[in-house]
Amino acid sequence: MKRNTTLLVLAATLFVTVIAGVAIGPVWIAPQKIVAILTNLVFPTNHTWSEAEAIIVYQIRLPRTFMALLVGSGLAVAGVAMQALFKNPLADPYVLGASSGAGFGAALIISFGLVSAVFVPPAAFAGAIFATFTVYALSMIGPKSSVSLLLLSGIALSTLFSALISFLMFLSGENLHQLVFWLMGGLWASRWEYVEITFPVVLVGTVIVYAYARDLNLMLSGEESAQHLGVAVESLKKILLVTVSFIVGVAVAFCGIIGFVGLIVPHVVRTFTGPDHKALIPASALFGGILLIWADIIARSAIPGSEVPVGIITALLGAPFFMYLVRSRRKNIF
Amino acid sequence: MRILGQESGSETGGPGRVRVDGVDCYYVQTQALNNAQLTVRPGEVIGLVGPNGSGKTTLIKAISGVLRPQVGIITLDDADVYRIKPKRLAQQMAVVPQSTDTFFFDFTVEEVVLMGRSPHIRFLGTESTHDFDVVRKALEVTDVARFADRKINELSGGERQRVIIARALAQEPKILLLDEATSQLDIGIKIEIFDLVRRLAASGIAVIAAIHDLNLAAQYCDRLLLLKRGEIIADGTVEEVLTQEHITEAFDVSALVRKHPITNAFSITLLPQQTPGERSSEKVHVIPGGGTGAPVIHALVQRGLSVSAGVVNTLDTDYELAQYFGIECAVEAPFSPISSEVHSRNVQLIQEARIVVLPNICFGSANLKNLEAAELAADKLVILEETPIESRDFTHGVAQRVYNDLRSNSPVFSELATLLAYVESHIG
């Protein structure tokens, strides 16, 4: 499939998915009503819907669907960047301890009972960036960072932060439930304020990663080869690590830890775009959004009257699918 | 001749002159390069030779900007290569590494070669038709155009290496660094690639190549640097660098260095260590000729036997080998008939020997006396006959008659191994 056709198909699918994300739920809202409600925001028309329906669409499902879209896109793009940067098919946005760093920052705030859009995101950013740069510093050998040290340090730091998060949960008492639920990853708390913060972070992050698409292609032939072809390897690493930290920080801050999206989406998308990052990055952004919106639809419809954290859904669906992918396409993946 | 000329693509000026000045490199604590000194002129093909771990790759890495020297400076047109932006450096210098890892994800050959254009493409820019033209030329020159659409990881090692060379050429560099780029390739492809290297040099590109194979280095380089344990122990023309003394010093082995009589190319044969210890008290005499005796002499010496030889001509391989092993010889001037003086010396050696070996040599009027000497060996004579005498006789049947006479009275072997077994069982 030609690159533009692929992107067009994905964009159309995303549009349908967004409508579905708003339509499906405990109360079904017909797509034409959704379109009418949204059109009404710009061109007021006759009400063909109830006030309750308007509130469900506008105040609940739309911000939630947008959050799923943004977080899914962001994690997928971050995953693409990490896999290329570390030349490792197992790399994902969380591999460098960014997620558990962000998780710890956010958990610290939540365990003090300060659940708000004002405090949690900065704490999560701070945690993500602190973790990423600690890992980066630990991996330095002379003027260069070693990829295997980077991954090992990432695992060590993740474990440390996970232990600290568990410790906070142990201490948190009445905030425990909230903390546990948040860590499992979910989109139920989504509000327009969250979207307003997440949107620019993910958009700018994706644009930055896309700007380095050519360099990421070169990185796939090895760090030294990339440098011989003119890539400033260490500064590329720093720029992308900061970018990924921001994306992960904002995602974790609002939605907890949603696993597997950043790992699988790049692999799935590569099977139809090939490894060229100029196609892979935009396609992954679209596909990541589609995937997380559907996962969230399942999360809120699977058990009537209740809601499963979306992180559980992505892992439940993602892990077996990933195993299938690894077995059936092992030659193309590795 | 211009292959991928520099008529375009070199936004940066300067002729591409590399200087390495007093460079020391370390890997953590181990010194890998000590006070390296080198100036590279455009159009020059410089070979780095030396044993493993001698610093060839280190020097390439230091020049290519990936291993910063602790002491000293490396400049490209008077600018420190470690201060030049990687992208600018990549417009001038291309590197083909030792072995290419498989690509992490599968690109096509054309996509890989197109990567070579990236130093010339602005940030956020896209490839121009000129870039595609350069890529097409690079694909053709390296003979990989026919699998341009194949996946890089599906290719054989040799094909993949040529693709990487094509990518380096697509950079339109002024300096091309090859780090044992052909060491894993078949001999035919090696030759193809180095023929290409010569053409590139003729178009003004400087080439610095770490080469494992001394013969290949001798054949294709204008200048050689011989390294040993991080030091450049010789720097000069092939003749100046590839001497027996230098090779012995660098590789701790002995070598025969000579010019090939037809191609005039240098030929280096590395010899095993001289066998130490006692030589046999009884001698074996070899009657060599035109290099045919060399393998026999070599094998006998290896088995700890005392060997003498004659008559040999100076400049002959047989002579060089005899000199190298320090064995007794009856020696005649090059291309001269055997004088009676030398002949009697030879006869004396034959009389002293326990066994006399007549290898598969050719006979002409100049060495007929050797056949006479063989006759004198009588029952001590053994014959190695790998090809029939008819094909080796240039004396209109004279040699043949004598030879057939000898043949009927002596043991004849068609293989060196069986002859050696015979000799060993008959000598104390």
XYZ file of all heavy atoms in Angstrom, chain A residues 205-274:
518
model
N 5.312 16.755 20.719
C 6.183 15.583 20.824
C 6.224 14.802 19.525
O 7.295 14.431 19.035
N 5.044 14.575 18.928
C 4.978 13.816 17.680
C 5.697 14.558 16.556
O 6.432 13.956 15.772
C 3.508 13.562 17.293
O 2.889 12.883 18.383
C 3.396 12.701 16.055
N 5.498 15.859 16.506
C 6.161 16.654 15.460
C 7.683 16.566 15.621
O 8.412 16.399 14.635
C 5.679 18.123 15.505
C 6.571 19.011 14.641
C 4.234 18.211 15.037
N 8.157 16.644 16.869
C 9.608 16.556 17.095
C 10.134 15.194 16.643
O 11.117 15.096 15.913
C 9.959 16.802 18.583
C 9.695 18.265 18.941
C 11.421 16.441 18.868
C 9.841 18.587 20.412
N 9.452 14.132 17.069
C 9.904 12.788 16.685
C 9.886 12.659 15.156
O 10.818 12.150 14.540
C 9.033 11.690 17.343
C 9.422 10.308 16.815
C 9.195 11.728 18.859
N 8.822 13.188 14.527
C 8.717 13.094 13.071
C 9.836 13.867 12.378
O 10.363 13.444 11.355
C 7.351 13.613 12.605
C 7.159 13.454 11.118
C 6.914 12.200 10.561
C 7.269 14.545 10.261
C 6.779 12.039 9.203
C 7.134 14.392 8.891
C 6.884 13.134 8.368
O 6.762 12.974 7.016
N 10.211 15.002 12.979
C 11.279 15.807 12.384
C 12.581 15.014 12.315
O 13.424 15.257 11.452
C 11.485 17.090 13.189
N 12.758 14.060 13.221
C 13.979 13.260 13.228
C 13.778 11.890 12.569
O 14.559 10.971 12.806
C 14.505 13.107 14.654
C 15.065 14.396 15.187
C 14.316 15.220 16.009
C 16.350 14.806 14.824
C 14.824 16.424 16.472
C 16.873 16.001 15.273
C 16.102 16.809 16.094
O 16.614 17.998 16.532
N 12.719 11.777 11.750
C 12.420 10.486 11.116
C 13.621 9.942 10.346
O 13.972 8.772 10.446
C 11.222 10.629 10.187
N 14.279 10.811 9.587
C 15.411 10.369 8.781
C 16.539 9.848 9.683
O 17.140 8.808 9.418
C 15.912 11.528 7.917
C 16.947 11.125 6.891
C 17.537 12.339 6.209
N 16.511 13.196 5.632
C 15.937 12.967 4.460
N 16.276 11.916 3.765
N 15.023 13.787 3.993
N 16.813 10.597 10.758
C 17.875 10.173 11.680
C 17.530 8.839 12.331
O 18.403 7.997 12.551
C 18.092 11.237 12.768
C 18.830 12.453 12.216
O 19.111 12.457 11.011
O 19.124 13.379 12.985
N 16.241 8.651 12.644
C 15.845 7.381 13.266
C 16.051 6.217 12.297
O 16.469 5.136 12.695
C 14.386 7.445 13.733
C 14.148 8.326 14.955
C 12.660 8.462 15.250
C 14.868 7.779 16.178
N 15.776 6.456 11.001
C 16.071 5.418 10.006
C 17.546 5.048 10.056
O 17.915 3.881 10.021
C 15.741 5.911 8.593
C 14.254 5.888 8.306
O 13.482 5.282 9.050
N 13.853 6.550 7.242
N 18.389 6.071 10.112
C 19.835 5.822 10.105
C 20.272 5.097 11.370
O 21.176 4.270 11.337
C 20.600 7.140 9.967
C 20.325 7.932 8.689
C 21.111 9.222 8.687
C 20.686 7.127 7.464
N 19.602 5.391 12.480
C 19.960 4.732 13.738
C 19.784 3.219 13.649
O 20.439 2.461 14.352
C 19.098 5.256 14.895
C 19.443 6.651 15.363
S 21.103 6.774 16.062
C 20.832 6.079 17.689
N 18.881 2.776 12.767
C 18.625 1.340 12.651
C 19.814 0.572 12.084
O 19.885 -0.636 12.186
C 17.390 1.074 11.776
C 16.062 1.564 12.340
C 14.937 1.169 11.407
C 15.799 1.015 13.724
N 20.769 1.278 11.471
C 21.946 0.559 10.980
C 23.080 0.610 11.995
O 24.204 0.245 11.680
C 22.391 1.099 9.626
O 22.754 2.434 9.710
N 22.792 1.066 13.193
C 23.819 1.079 14.229
C 24.276 2.493 14.534
O 24.241 3.358 13.675
N 24.706 2.708 15.784
C 25.054 4.066 16.196
C 26.233 4.625 15.418
O 26.231 5.775 14.998
C 25.382 4.098 17.694
C 24.139 4.157 18.543
C 24.453 4.385 20.005
O 25.449 5.059 20.321
O 23.691 3.889 20.837
N 27.265 3.772 15.234
C 28.446 4.292 14.538
C 28.135 4.591 13.087
O 28.538 5.630 12.566
C 29.624 3.320 14.654
C 30.450 3.622 15.872
C 31.717 2.797 15.967
O 32.206 2.299 14.932
O 32.208 2.655 17.091
N 27.404 3.688 12.443
C 27.019 3.947 11.059
C 26.200 5.224 10.973
O 26.387 6.024 10.063
C 26.197 2.787 10.503
O 27.012 1.681 10.298
N 25.296 5.402 11.925
C 24.465 6.604 11.921
C 25.338 7.845 12.022
O 25.136 8.821 11.295
C 23.464 6.548 13.069
N 26.332 7.779 12.902
C 27.220 8.941 13.025
C 28.002 9.177 11.739
O 28.166 10.312 11.301
C 28.171 8.752 14.202
C 28.901 10.051 14.509
C 29.829 9.945 15.690
O 29.677 9.088 16.548
N 30.797 10.834 15.727
N 28.449 8.091 11.122
C 29.175 8.243 9.862
C 28.294 8.838 8.774
O 28.787 9.383 7.801
C 29.721 6.890 9.394
C 30.792 6.359 10.286
N 30.975 5.024 10.510
C 31.717 6.994 11.032
C 31.987 4.873 11.348
N 32.444 6.044 11.683
N 26.987 8.701 8.930
C 26.072 9.278 7.945
C 25.551 10.632 8.411
O 24.590 11.159 7.870
C 24.914 8.315 7.685
C 25.331 7.044 6.936
C 24.279 5.965 7.060
C 25.597 7.351 5.478
N 26.197 11.169 9.438
C 25.919 12.552 9.797
C 24.942 12.763 10.939
O 24.521 13.891 11.181
N 24.558 11.718 11.644
C 23.643 11.896 12.769
C 24.444 12.280 14.014
O 25.429 11.620 14.340
C 22.865 10.594 13.055
C 21.935 10.773 14.247
C 22.086 10.161 11.836
N 24.017 13.339 14.686
C 24.640 13.699 15.960
C 23.992 12.812 17.021
O 22.991 13.168 17.641
C 24.429 15.176 16.259
N 24.558 11.622 17.204
C 23.871 10.549 17.928
C 23.510 10.947 19.363
O 22.366 10.773 19.791
C 24.725 9.260 17.929
C 24.110 8.199 18.818
C 24.846 8.731 16.509
N 24.483 11.494 20.092
C 24.190 11.777 21.500
C 23.144 12.877 21.663
O 22.279 12.790 22.521
C 25.472 12.118 22.272
C 26.391 10.911 22.485
C 25.705 9.694 23.123
O 24.957 9.863 24.107
O 25.894 8.569 22.616
N 23.204 13.909 20.820
C 22.187 14.947 20.983
C 20.820 14.443 20.524
O 19.797 14.802 21.109
C 22.579 16.252 20.305
O 22.943 16.024 18.989
N 20.807 13.562 19.518
C 19.532 12.962 19.109
C 18.920 12.189 20.278
O 17.724 12.302 20.567
C 19.749 12.021 17.916
C 18.502 11.281 17.422
C 17.546 12.243 16.724
C 18.854 10.133 16.491
N 19.761 11.430 20.963
C 19.273 10.671 22.114
C 18.674 11.595 23.161
O 17.586 11.349 23.668
C 20.427 9.894 22.760
C 20.754 8.577 22.110
C 21.759 7.850 22.992
C 22.432 6.717 22.255
N 23.620 6.238 22.943
N 19.402 12.672 23.466
C 18.913 13.578 24.516
C 17.586 14.207 24.112
O 16.635 14.230 24.893
C 19.952 14.671 24.796
C 21.065 14.180 25.699
C 22.043 15.299 25.994
C 23.417 14.703 26.249
N 24.514 15.580 25.912
N 17.515 14.714 22.874
C 16.289 15.375 22.424
C 15.113 14.405 22.503
O 14.049 14.734 23.030
C 16.461 15.880 20.970
C 17.448 17.045 20.933
C 15.114 16.300 20.372
C 17.903 17.418 19.533
N 15.317 13.191 22.006
C 14.201 12.254 21.966
C 13.858 11.722 23.354
O 12.682 11.484 23.650
C 14.487 11.119 20.981
C 14.537 11.563 19.517
C 14.733 10.383 18.601
C 13.273 12.321 19.116
N 14.861 11.567 24.209
C 14.556 11.102 25.563
C 13.711 12.133 26.303
O 12.752 11.790 26.994
C 15.845 10.808 26.344
C 16.598 9.542 25.929
C 17.841 9.354 26.777
C 15.712 8.315 26.014
N 14.046 13.416 26.146
C 13.244 14.462 26.796
C 11.826 14.457 26.223
O 10.837 14.499 26.965
C 13.904 15.849 26.613
C 12.972 16.951 27.096
C 15.218 15.904 27.361
N 11.742 14.369 24.894
C 10.428 14.377 24.254
C 9.566 13.220 24.761
O 8.407 13.411 25.141
C 10.602 14.252 22.723
O 11.487 15.276 22.292
C 9.279 14.377 22.007
N 10.166 12.037 24.768
C 9.429 10.855 25.212
C 9.035 11.005 26.691
O 7.926 10.652 27.085
C 10.268 9.577 24.972
C 9.690 8.386 25.719
C 10.344 9.282 23.487
N 9.935 11.570 27.494
C 9.611 11.769 28.910
C 8.387 12.653 29.078
O 7.541 12.403 29.936
C 10.781 12.431 29.643
O 11.900 11.614 29.586
N 8.294 13.696 28.267
C 7.128 14.579 28.366
C 5.846 13.830 27.996
O 4.841 13.921 28.688
C 7.309 15.804 27.457
C 7.898 16.964 28.199
C 9.270 17.154 28.234
C 7.089 17.849 28.903
C 9.829 18.201 28.939
C 7.631 18.901 29.609
C 9.016 19.083 29.635
N 5.915 13.078 26.894
C 4.727 12.343 26.464
C 4.308 11.337 27.542
O 3.142 11.273 27.945
C 4.984 11.613 25.122
C 5.197 12.640 23.998
C 3.821 10.689 24.773
C 5.578 12.025 22.665
N 5.290 10.574 28.031
C 4.990 9.563 29.040
C 4.500 10.236 30.321
O 3.537 9.784 30.947
C 6.240 8.702 29.320
C 6.029 7.826 30.535
C 6.558 7.850 28.116
N 5.157 11.332 30.692
C 4.764 12.052 31.906
C 3.302 12.452 31.862
O 2.541 12.186 32.802
N 2.875 13.032 30.752
C 1.491 13.511 30.677
C 0.520 12.329 30.611
O -0.553 12.348 31.230
C 1.305 14.507 29.500
C 1.243 13.799 28.174
C 0.075 15.346 29.697
N 0.929 11.281 29.905
C 0.046 10.114 29.793
C -0.147 9.457 31.152
O -1.275 9.156 31.562
C 0.624 9.103 28.791
N 0.948 9.254 31.858
C 0.861 8.594 33.156
C 0.116 9.471 34.159
O -0.692 8.996 34.958
C 2.279 8.230 33.665
C 2.218 7.735 35.105
C 2.902 7.179 32.777
N 0.366 10.774 34.083
C -0.259 11.675 35.041
C -1.779 11.581 34.994
O -2.442 11.573 36.027
C 0.186 13.108 34.765
N -2.348 11.511 33.805
C -3.802 11.548 33.690
C -4.439 10.172 33.599
O -5.589 10.001 33.975
C -4.220 12.385 32.473
C -3.858 13.829 32.620
C -3.152 14.480 31.640
C -4.221 14.532 33.763
C -2.812 15.812 31.774
C -3.885 15.866 33.911
C -3.169 16.509 32.917
N -3.723 9.217 33.112
C -4.350 7.931 32.819
C -3.673 6.747 33.490
O -4.019 5.601 33.210
C -4.367 7.688 31.312
S -5.137 9.032 30.436
N -2.682 6.995 34.326
C -1.996 5.879 34.949
C -1.115 5.166 33.942
O -0.789 5.712 32.882
N -0.753 3.921 34.301
C 0.175 3.205 33.433
C -0.598 2.286 32.500
O -1.191 1.300 32.923
C 1.205 2.429 34.270
C 2.066 3.448 35.028
C 2.063 1.550 33.380
C 2.931 2.849 36.094
N -0.602 2.652 31.210
C -1.295 1.849 30.205
C -0.235 1.117 29.404
O 0.475 1.700 28.600
C -2.160 2.746 29.302
C -3.221 3.447 30.147
C -2.800 1.926 28.190
C -4.017 4.496 29.422
N -0.142 -0.173 29.671
C 0.942 -0.936 29.070
C 0.639 -1.389 27.657
O -0.501 -1.290 27.190
N 1.668 -1.840 26.960
C 1.574 -2.571 25.705
C 1.288 -1.726 24.473
O 1.639 -2.128 23.380
C 0.545 -3.706 25.779
C 1.195 -5.020 26.100
C 1.106 -5.570 27.360
C 1.931 -5.677 25.131
C 1.728 -6.763 27.658
C 2.558 -6.871 25.426
C 2.453 -7.424 26.693
N 0.634 -0.553 24.640
C 0.326 0.237 23.443
C 1.618 0.656 22.750
O 1.793 0.472 21.547
C -0.518 1.479 23.812
C -0.746 2.346 22.584
C -1.843 1.039 24.406
N 2.555 1.186 23.562
C 3.814 1.673 23.000
C 4.675 0.566 22.450
O 5.525 0.786 21.593
N 4.454 -0.653 22.921
C 5.250 -1.778 22.436
C 4.683 -2.373 21.148
O 5.405 -2.575 20.170
C 5.326 -2.861 23.520
C 6.087 -4.138 23.163
C 7.562 -3.842 22.933
C 5.932 -5.175 24.256
N 3.346 -2.627 21.162
C 2.797 -3.355 20.007
C 2.522 -2.482 18.808
O 2.730 -2.936 17.688
C 1.438 -4.050 20.248
C 1.025 -4.049 21.672
C 1.436 -5.417 19.670
C -0.315 -4.735 21.810
N 2.018 -1.280 19.037
C 1.583 -0.485 17.886
C 2.694 -0.349 16.843
O 2.453 -0.615 15.661
C 1.032 0.885 18.335
C 0.790 1.783 17.135
C -0.253 0.682 19.121
N 3.923 0.013 17.238
C 4.959 0.134 16.193
C 5.171 -1.167 15.422
O 5.344 -1.137 14.200
C 6.222 0.505 16.972
C 5.738 1.082 18.252
C 4.445 0.390 18.555
N 5.112 -2.296 16.125
C 5.321 -3.572 15.438
C 4.200 -3.866 14.442
O 4.446 -4.303 13.326
C 5.406 -4.718 16.453
C 6.709 -4.744 17.186
N 7.895 -5.041 16.570
C 7.009 -4.478 18.475
C 8.870 -4.973 17.461
N 8.364 -4.633 18.625
N 2.975 -3.626 14.868
C 1.841 -3.876 13.974
C 1.930 -2.960 12.755
O 1.797 -3.403 11.614
C 0.502 -3.648 14.712
C -0.662 -3.794 13.747
C 0.359 -4.613 15.870
N 2.192 -1.693 13.012
C 2.191 -0.721 11.917
C 3.319 -1.015 10.930
O 3.139 -0.908 9.721
C 2.284 0.714 12.472
C 2.457 1.725 11.346
C 1.025 1.030 13.276
N 4.472 -1.425 11.452
C 5.592 -1.768 10.574
C 5.218 -2.856 9.564
O 5.756 -2.881 8.452
C 6.763 -2.258 11.417
C 7.996 -1.413 11.273
C 9.111 -1.916 12.151
N 9.490 -0.901 13.109
C 9.336 -1.003 14.410
N 8.807 -2.074 14.944
N 9.707 -0.018 15.201
N 4.314 -3.742 9.945
C 3.964 -4.813 9.009
C 3.270 -4.276 7.762
O 3.294 -4.908 6.733
C 3.059 -5.883 9.652
O 1.845 -5.264 10.048
C 3.704 -6.526 10.863
N 2.662 -3.094 7.834
C 2.104 -2.559 6.583
C 2.745 -1.275 6.082
O 2.517 -0.895 4.942
C 0.566 -2.448 6.621
C -0.011 -1.722 7.801
C -0.071 -0.340 7.824
C -0.523 -2.431 8.875
C -0.628 0.323 8.899
C -1.074 -1.772 9.955
C -1.118 -0.402 9.971
N 3.567 -0.608 6.877
C 4.259 0.568 6.332
C 5.710 0.264 6.007
O 6.363 1.022 5.309
C 4.282 1.737 7.334
O 4.981 1.311 8.501
C 2.903 2.213 7.684
N 6.256 -0.824 6.557
C 7.704 -1.023 6.450
C 8.394 -0.195 7.512
O 7.738 0.504 8.283
